[in-house]
Amino acid sequence: MRHSDEHSVRTGPSLNALIRQTVARHCGYAPPPTAADAPPKPPFKTVTEQLSKAGLDVVDTEVTAQHSTRAEKKAWLSIPVFARPDGDFTHAQRMRILDAAYALTTPDAPSVTSWLVVAPRPESTASPRPPPHLEAGKASAITPASVY
């Protein structure tokens, strides 16, 4: 599920591809290969199942393109939740890998990221369901003792 702009704006390897090359070359780590057509994380089916469990129906979906530069992509990838590569690396290590990969790019080169947009609405016949860990008869993962 990629926006068509992502295929038409290519100006060399993506920053993610350069990160994979850099970590393989300098760290000897080979993350699992990713295909250009790999499904989004989490998969679409998982997204709709989770929304359904929360009492929401999916009304519409759309894949949209975010146009930016390699410099803006680097800024996104510096946010811990988006940092690459996956694996047992500290955030500081990921930032050094990002810097090394970014040095191989042209900062103002265009970059396109595909985003899946999901429009849900509350189910008309059901009330929202509690998360599985809060259902009747199940213990909550968060207890007063774990809050402190």
Side-chain angles (χ1 to χ4, degrees), residues 1-23:
M1 298 180 92
R2 300 207 181 273
H3 194 277
S4 59
D5 287 3
E6 194 169 343
H7 299 290
S8 63
V9 180
R10 289 278 177 204
T11 58
S14 70
L15 190 50
N16 282 324
L18 292 170
I19 288 169
R20 285 190 299 276
Q21 291 172 9
T22 300
V23 76

Side-chain angles (χ1 to χ4, degrees), residues 47-107:
V47 172
T48 57
E49 287 172 354
Q50 293 298 316
L51 289 170
S52 177
K53 287 179 183 177
L56 300 170
D57 284 326
V58 174
V59 176
D60 195 14
T61 63
E62 177 183 349
V63 176
T64 186
Q66 174 190 5
H67 294 261
S68 60
T69 64
R70 300 289 168 108
E72 291 168 321
K73 180 76 170 188
K74 181 185 181 207
W76 273 104
L77 293 175
S78 69
I79 299 169
V81 71
F82 298 119
R84 301 285 179 264
D86 293 330
D88 193 21
F89 295 93
T90 66
H91 186 66
Q93 289 171 318
R94 286 186 175 100
M95 293 304 94
R96 287 193 295 276
I97 293 165
L98 175 60
D99 288 340
Y102 181 72
L104 303 172
T105 71
T106 304

